[in-house]
Amino acid sequence: MEINRLTTLQQPSLSMLGTQTRKTSVAEAQQNFSQSLKGAIEKLNEVQMHSDKQTEALAKGEITDLHDVMIASQKSSVALQTAVEIQRKAIDAYNEIMRMQV
């Protein structure tokens, strides 16, 4: 079983921040955020489904290597915990913004 690197969001370098002249519209920002969120949820779903398939195959006797099944299960668990934590942080940030006085 191959271990893949986690993908990270691309962040501009400090040298590019001052020279960037193109501004992103609100619609573009919403679309980019929506696509990023959708991609992350799809990836989480793929990891969960892979773990389920591995567990099912182990129960049927098709897989004899318990290590691969447990690794897939742990990957799935960590991915879900990360998604839940990110959701909590996003809700906290939203609530903090809503409490700000304008």
Side-chain angles (χ1 to χ4, degrees):
M1 175 183 268
E2 181 179 325
I3 297 176
N4 298 325
R5 289 185 173 192
L6 294 175
T7 57
T8 59
L9 296 176
Q10 296 291 331
Q11 295 181 353
S13 66
L14 291 176
S15 62
M16 292 178 63
L17 289 177
T19 61
Q20 191 174 15
T21 58
R22 183 177 177 273
K23 298 210 181 228
T24 304
S25 71
V26 174
E28 287 178 289
Q30 288 174 346
Q31 184 178 12
N32 290 341
F33 179 75
S34 174
Q35 289 173 350
S36 296
L37 187 61
K38 183 178 179 182
I41 291 172
E42 286 174 354
K43 183 67 177 168
L44 175 64
N45 189 37
E46 288 174 15
V47 171
Q48 294 277 329
M49 290 180 68
H50 177 70
S51 174
D52 290 346
K53 286 178 185 177
Q54 291 276 6
T55 303
E56 188 176 317
L58 179 70
K60 289 180 180 178
E62 296 169 357
I63 295 179
T64 58
D65 191 9
L66 180 63
H67 292 84
D68 287 340
V69 177
M70 292 305 297
I71 289 170
S73 175
Q74 285 299 312
K75 277 184 177 181
S76 169
S77 176
V78 168
L80 183 60
Q81 288 174 355
T82 303
V84 169
E85 199 60 37
I86 290 171
Q87 175 202 14
R88 285 184 189 148
K89 292 290 185 182
I91 291 172
D92 289 344
Y94 173 79
N95 288 333
E96 185 69 27
I97 290 170
M98 295 307 292
R99 283 192 292 262
M100 287 183 180
Q101 294 183 4
V102 180

